[in-house]
Every structure is written in structure tokens, then in C-alpha cells.
Amino acid sequence: MTIEEKIDLLGGVDGFYVRGIPRLGVPRFKMADGPLGVRNFGPATTMAGGIGLAASWNSWLSWQVGT
């Protein structure tokens, strides 16, 4: 990869997409993030925030979220 191609992978384009690198056969792909689970445009799974889960002192619940 050229330095320009590496830099292109650091940022997004077109609302949560990573630029593709056609020369290498790397397609653009959609990213997702979020502090409480996957955040994207549409339905998503939400989990309890880590700090809230820790404050519950409920190890069984923490195990359930982890699995």
C-alpha cells in the first residue's frame, strides 16, 4: 500500500464508509460504532454501558452481556 492509500483508510467517506482500494481489490465497506452497542442507520442492538454494568455489581448479568 502506498502512504496515500494507508492514510485513506484512516478516515471515512459518504457517511460511515471506508474508502476502497480498487488497485488491491479492497472494496469499500460500511463501519458501525457506538458506546452502547452497534450504531448504524437502521435497527441495532444496544447493550448496557460498561460503567453502568460495573456499577450494578451483578456478575451474572455481566457474564450474560459478555456472551
Side-chain angles (χ1 to χ4, degrees):
M1 290 173 65
T2 67
I3 189 72
E4 290 82 11
E5 289 168 337
K6 291 176 183 178
I7 290 170
D8 276 347
L9 292 179
L10 294 175
V13 65
D14 298 331
F16 263 53
Y17 281 90
V18 172
R19 289 177 178 91
I21 305 173
R23 180 181 76 80
L24 299 175
V26 177
R28 79 183 205 147
F29 60 94
K30 191 168 191 174
M31 299 181 287
D33 75 345
L36 301 178
V38 175
R39 176 181 66 89
N40 216 325
F41 304 104
T45 301
T46 301
M47 302 294 184
I51 192 72
L53 194 59
S56 76
W57 291 90
N58 188 328
S59 58
W60 182 84
L61 179 60
S62 299
W63 180 83
Q64 288 287 92
V65 170
T67 56

